[in-house]
Amino acid sequence: PEEFFVRRTGHFYFSETPMVPSMSWDATYTTMCNWFCLKDKRSNVDFYLFNTHLFYGGTGQTRMKSVEMLEKYISTIAGDNPVILTGDMNATPETETVSALKMFMSDAWDKASLRSGPAGSYNAFRLDYDLNKYKFDYVFVNSRVDVKSHQIISDTIDGYFPSDHFPVLCEITLK
């Protein structure tokens, strides 16, 4: 509260009826995007944060339709303001899903001048897992956001991973 003021919030479902809890295409469970607009009290800049978890299974149709919806809604909701999109995209960098996201957003990993941690964000809860194998978790930004650093945090607690996905931490500047 000292740093930011919440201006407005909302959500939409990845379906043919985005304002009603629902699923469409080849999805077998409901997926959605939550968003909010914050005002940075120091800089007096409004920015938007969108967070999602794209559908895991199927043929990829739901993920691609979801990306189309993300592009439309981010543009409509955020306009020309700085935008940050975070989430488990259930897609690796070379996939059609991530390529489609990169048509209207930039992967913070690509924009960062400093990078640390493994290349992957999935660990299967196994310490012996190849931590560079699967990157599913992303921070995407629009052109109104500069990225200084990007880190995939692979810490353990008492010898265990606290989740099967690692958190992603970025240091950013809003323009």
Side-chain angles (χ1 to χ4, degrees):
E2 297 80 29
E3 306 271 335
F4 305 106
F5 173 76
V6 179
R7 287 205 180 271
R8 57 190 198 134
T9 66
H11 63 273
F12 53 92
Y13 294 87
F14 294 123
S15 75
E16 294 165 311
T17 54
M19 295 303 138
V20 178
S22 54
M23 61 185 157
S24 295
W25 311 298
D26 64 349
T28 56
Y29 56 84
T30 303
T31 55
M32 65 187 298
C33 179
N34 293 295
W35 63 268
F36 56 92
C37 175
L38 294 176
K39 176 182 180 174
D40 182 328
K41 290 181 177 179
R42 282 189 220 160
S43 68
N44 205 32
V45 173
D46 285 354
F47 68 97
Y48 286 79
L49 177 63
F50 292 78
N51 180 261
T52 192
H53 188 158
L54 297 184
F55 181 63
Y56 172 74
T59 63
Q61 179 186 20
T62 297
R63 277 189 304 283
M64 290 306 295
K65 292 283 191 183
S66 299
V67 169
E68 290 173 18
M69 289 182 71
L70 283 167
E71 182 176 17
K72 174 186 169 188
Y73 278 84
I74 287 172
S75 173
T76 302
I77 293 166
D80 293 331
N81 290 292
V83 174
I84 304 160
L85 167 64
T86 62
D88 178 351
M89 303 305 170
N90 276 312
T92 54
E94 73 285 348
T95 61
E96 184 180 21
T97 302
V98 173
S99 293
L101 283 162
K102 286 183 172 184
M103 295 299 289
F104 63 98
M105 301 286 287
S106 297
D107 186 344
W109 172 265
D110 296 334
K111 288 187 74 169
S113 53
L114 299 170
R115 298 182 195 123
S116 61
S121 63
Y122 179 72
N123 61 54
F125 285 112
R126 292 182 22 219
L127 294 174
D128 64 344
Y129 197 76
D130 179 359
L131 301 184
N132 295 309
K133 189 172 182 179
Y134 292 117
K135 179 181 177 184
F136 295 137
D137 306 279
Y138 296 83
V139 175
F140 286 97
V141 297
N142 71 359
S143 62
R144 298 278 318 274
V145 179
D146 282 332
V147 182
K148 180 179 179 183
S149 66
H150 181 288
Q151 179 182 10
I152 295 177
I153 302 170
S154 59
D155 295 351
T156 59
I157 299 172
D158 297 328
Y160 296 96
F161 292 123
S163 171
D164 61 338
H165 290 251
F166 295 132
V168 180
L169 176 67
C170 293
E171 184 179 349
I172 63 167
T173 303
L174 306 174
K175 297 189 218 175

